[in-house]
Amino acid sequence: MASTEPFLLSARLRAVYPTPPSPCPDVIDTRQVKFYVKAGGEGPAILSSIMAVLPGLYPPSTNNKITLANESTIIAPLSGYQYIPIETVQPANDRSLEPWTEPWTDCLAFRRHVTEVYASPIFKATAKAAQSFFRAIKDFVFGCPITLENAYNIYDYVSTLVHNQTHANRLPPTFIDQACKNALFSDTGLGGVGYLAGQMILCSILDALDPIPFNEGPLQSLLIETSYQPFISLFHMLGLTKEYPELAAMANFASALALEIRRGPGLELRDFLRIKSRTEVRTTSRRTTLLGTRRTSPLRSLCTNSR
């Protein structure tokens, strides 16, 4: 599943985003693309996913070849397989994809804020309301603290049980949705813990978006392969959940969020940003509204409002 679904997704993405123009047809110029891959936490599974995505986005091509001095032609192994460099992001070096780990958790202000959230009346009320579910789920979760503080790990654990035939037949049909609901608890406000993942990944996104309209380098595409937490956080930050409430929940593990830069029409000098999301592999992608608008939004608006 960790490889098959991403490969199916990449084939659909290729239909929308073909290989950028390069000297060799169907062969990617690796200077035009950059890949960030989360290496901490669920890193091994995410790395497997990106290895399945790359052949779908940039399939093997017999044009991936070189001509030697003796005029013989050498085609890359595996019928022209395209070897795309990827950059793994370790939390110790770059916290943009996993900001909730150390050293953030060693920050006194951060820990104080989390403690205040856990002590808040709404958190205590939510934890109390979830006790009946926690008691019922105990027989399906092993070696994992069954508390609201650890609800996201409970969801991760339970959501994988559906791939085990024994557990899938025993697991009540509502348990995954209940685990998801508990895992989505967060304090309100853009300064809340729940928005931390979105704020941090937005830094990498904006750094990539800024130079592209001005042709300040060869980069044409940035692909970030990460876990679902930044997805949920960004959907809330950008106001997408108001019109699409289903985006407030956990994203499918093979989901995609695309931010497209588009030139303005006619004499319009501004560049515009369009967001598309795909939360299920077998469904069509859809254009979503951005920052409460029903059209593409000026790129500068996103950059200014985000910062």
Side-chain angles (χ1 to χ4, degrees):
M1 293 293 288
S3 299
T4 302
E5 288 192 340
F7 180 77
L8 294 174
L9 172 66
S10 67
R12 292 177 179 270
L13 292 176
R14 178 173 172 77
V16 180
Y17 309 108
T19 302
S22 67
C24 296
D26 297 325
V27 177
I28 187 65
D29 182 348
T30 56
R31 297 173 302 171
Q32 296 179 324
V33 295
K34 180 178 288 187
F35 293 91
Y36 285 151
V37 183
K38 176 182 174 181
E42 313 93 324
I46 295 174
L47 185 60
S48 297
S49 295
I50 190 64
M51 299 308 292
V53 165
L54 291 178
L57 273 177
Y58 310 111
S61 172
T62 53
N63 289 324
N64 189 15
K65 59 187 178 182
I66 60 172
T67 301
L68 303 181
N70 61 4
E71 299 186 355
S72 62
T73 299
I74 304 298
I75 298 177
L78 304 175
S79 302
Y81 184 88
Q82 301 194 57
Y83 295 87
I84 313 295
I86 61 175
E87 181 178 341
T88 55
V89 180
Q90 297 286 349
N93 301 324
D94 185 341
R95 298 188 294 274
S96 62
L97 300 187
E98 202 170 12
W100 53 89
T101 58
E102 295 181 0
W104 273 93
T105 51
D106 288 337
C107 172
L108 291 179
F110 180 81
R111 288 194 297 179
R112 187 183 305 113
H113 179 75
V114 172
T115 300
E116 292 173 354
V117 172
Y118 288 164
S120 65
I122 187 173
F123 185 88
K124 291 181 178 179
T126 305
K128 183 178 180 180
Q131 289 307 308
S132 60
F133 167 70
F134 289 155
R135 287 192 295 268
I137 200 69
K138 183 171 62 175
D139 292 336
F140 295 92
V141 180
F142 309 100
C144 180
I146 306 177
T147 62
L148 186 59
E149 292 88 338
N150 196 49
Y152 68 98
N153 279 326
I154 295 176
Y155 169 79
D156 288 346
Y157 193 101
V158 174
S159 63
T160 61
L161 294 180
V162 296
H163 304 305
N164 182 299
Q165 188 175 24
T166 300
H167 291 300
N169 292 333
R170 294 178 54 237
L171 190 69
T174 62
F175 272 22
I176 293 181
D177 288 339
Q178 288 178 272
C180 176
K181 181 180 179 181
N182 289 317
L184 288 173
F185 178 89
S186 175
D187 51 332
T188 58
L190 288 178
V193 175
Y195 293 99
L196 183 59
Q199 290 175 349
M200 292 300 292
I201 197 173
L202 202 54
C203 296
S204 298
I205 294 173
L206 294 178
D207 285 345
L209 290 178
D210 270 347
I212 290 178
F214 303 102
N215 297 318
E216 293 180 354
L219 183 65
Q220 296 294 311
S221 176
L222 168 69
L223 189 147
I224 301 176
E225 188 88 6
T226 186
S227 51
Y228 58 79
Q229 292 94 341
F231 272 95
I232 304 171
S233 191
L234 277 177
F235 288 152
H236 284 270
M237 287 176 59
L238 299 178
L240 302 179
T241 56
K242 295 178 181 178
E243 185 167 353
Y244 307 100
E246 64 273 20
L247 294 181
M250 299 295 190
N252 179 281
F253 289 152
S255 299
L257 178 67
L259 287 80
E260 304 174 351
I261 298 179
R262 293 181 169 266
R263 300 296 185 189
L267 299 177
E268 175 63 70
L269 299 178
R270 295 179 299 175
D271 294 292
F272 290 80
L273 191 73
R274 176 185 294 176
I275 288 186
K276 291 182 179 179
S277 65
R278 179 187 293 274
T279 54
E280 294 288 345
V281 173
R282 294 175 179 82
T283 60
T284 57
S285 60
R286 61 185 169 191
R287 190 187 309 179
T288 55
T289 61
L290 175 63
L291 301 175
T293 67
R294 286 190 170 272
R295 56 180 176 81
T296 50
S297 177
L299 175 61
R300 193 52 50 192
S301 295
L302 173 68
C303 297
T304 302
N305 293 338
S306 299
R307 287 177 169 143

